[in-house]
Amino acid sequence: MNFSEVFKLSGLLCKFSPNGKYLASCVQYRLVVRDVHTLQIVQLYTCLDQIQHAEWSADSLFILCAMYKRGLVQVWSLEQPEWHCKIDEGSAGLVASCWSPDGRHILNTTEFHLRITVWSLCTKSVSYIKYPKACQQGISFTRDGRYMALAERRDCRDHVSVFVCSDWQLLRYKILLYSLDGRLLSTYCAYEWSLGIKSVDWSPSSQFLAIGSYDGKVRILNHVTWKMITEFGHLATINNPKIVVYKEAEKSSRLALGYNSFPQLRAIGTLPSAESKYEIASMPVSLQILKPVADRANPKIGVGTMAFSSDNYFLATKNDNVPNAVWIWDVQKMRLFVVLEQLSPVRSFQWDPQQPRLAICTGSSKVYLWSPAGCVSVQVPGEGEQQGFSTRAQGRRRVILTVHPQHLWASRLFPVHVTSPPPIVAGMGEEVAPSDGRQRWGCASPLAHPCTQVIWGYIHLVTLTFNLMTTCLSPGDFQVLSLCWHLNGDSIALLSKDHFCLCFLETEGVRTTFGQLGDHT
């Protein structure tokens, strides 16, 4: 272990440059810069008063010397020794000085922490930041140098504000709208001083821009003036009788007994205990709320997912602190239309590219479909692997449709034939003969809600075929984590962690009491 000779030093001010090439030391009012390897003096600078603080810039090209007693800061350049800069805070005084991460701005804190003055060495511009809190470490920068966190004391309360280092303005979440030729058309900011925009979605016609925010609201802007035309709030309690709430529930064991007469369903590994159905909830309805963890980043709050239907009629949203619910809004009437509450948190949803039909997955072994005619819950056949080869297993199934009477005439997509009384659930089980004498798969199990009715035409109409490129085993093996529609709207790709399968929505011709309806999906 070797030692160098002893050099003079004042105020314990001795610092290596960030690039490791130089060593700066202060001797009263002199700044000495030495080469690290030879300890020879590279530069010698003389300041106006005794140096009380010295600091290198991040690129090791500049070094500042602060003289708090006189309210002065002097900046020196290693590459251009003849260049220097003097900053005088005057009567405001000086208690702290530091570099910004880019090495081209200096932040000076005045006496009594009245403000922070940001001096630019390049443009000679000055910016002011009010209300810094008097504490040991009240400023911190991100690693990439883009943002600065500052502890503030305003209105007798402590705050942490985030500033953008490019313009030293508060970080505000706002939308900037540009034309294709680069012109700034408009800017929009829903509110200030809080987490702001979380998601954005254009309507297919480009007439509306939906902005989801951390406050749990969706704001709709028009394309003419770019002003807000309405605001959608996601309330945890719904008591409006005009809003229909479909609630997922597990099937009863009585309904499951009907599976024993269908060996084909047992062959593809579908057990009734894993299936579910939708029920229409009575008002008021209280949705399950997830309380966010306050001390963690990226809190589970706000509207994180939105999507317009292909025909511009509906907007589907998800509020992250109500994870089990999907809100569907009527864009024409600008009001809430339907709420779907699932048993598990919603992982993903996507609209059919051809018609207003929404597919939802929750990470379970089911896929859910909603349209203005109603909603269904479908169990996906389980999957597994066989050693040496793969087989193709197909399962065809009829599904339950739950529909509210006020939506019977709202749908132009699906033919409907209402049978009433008594209200029953149509599903896979014993065969029930409707009034027209044609056989349908159904079950005479009454619904809990008296308004729900059977839609015979739809039950005959909807047939889902699942194709798995592996051997089908037990239910629940295939957990649908995400999904995507084919552009024709006739099939859905269901994605699990290690596999995927295709769900085909077959087309059948149907005749109902409305006459010949032709082919519908």
Side-chain angles (χ1 to χ4, degrees), residues 340-392:
L340 304 176
E341 186 178 16
Q342 309 298 131
L343 291 175
S344 303
V346 176
R347 295 289 299 264
S348 175
F349 59 77
Q350 192 176 63
W351 287 99
D352 184 335
Q354 298 298 323
Q355 54 184 290
R357 180 167 50 183
L358 185 68
I360 304 171
C361 67
T362 63
S364 65
S365 57
K366 291 179 281 293
V367 62
Y368 309 90
L369 294 174
W370 175 89
S371 76
C375 49
V376 294
S377 168
V378 185
Q379 176 73 36
V380 180
E383 55 84 23
E385 294 185 356
Q386 243 180 18
Q387 292 183 352
F389 64 94
S390 298
T391 61
R392 181 183 178 94

Side-chain angles (χ1 to χ4, degrees), residues 122-190:
C122 298
T123 63
K124 298 182 181 180
S125 61
V126 181
S127 302
Y128 298 99
I129 301 174
K130 295 181 179 180
Y131 315 119
K133 180 178 173 62
C135 54
Q136 285 188 345
Q137 189 174 354
I139 298 176
S140 182
F141 295 91
T142 57
R143 291 187 176 181
D144 58 7
R146 296 177 59 188
Y147 304 105
M148 178 189 73
L150 175 67
E152 293 183 338
R153 183 71 177 177
R154 288 186 280 111
D155 300 327
C156 300
R157 297 180 63 183
D158 287 346
H159 301 264
V160 175
S161 299
V162 180
F163 292 83
V164 182
C165 294
S166 59
D167 57 7
W168 303 104
Q169 297 295 319
L170 271 173
L171 178 61
R172 298 180 182 179
Y173 293 84
K174 59 183 177 180
I175 291 288
L176 289 85
L177 298 160
Y178 288 90
S179 63
L180 293 181
D181 58 2
R183 291 179 293 110
L184 179 62
L185 300 176
S186 180
T187 61
Y188 178 79
C189 180

Side-chain angles (χ1 to χ4, degrees), residues 63 79 106 167 205 244 250 398 402 423 486 492 505:
I63 186 170
E79 287 188 337
I106 296 176
D167 57 7
S205 65
V244 181
E250 293 183 355
R398 309 280 175 162
T402 304
H486 187 275
I492 311 174
L505 285 76

Side-chain angles (χ1 to χ4, degrees), residues 295-307:
D295 58 349
R296 293 186 182 179
N298 302 318
K300 296 292 184 179
I301 58 174
V303 182
T305 310
M306 297 186 301

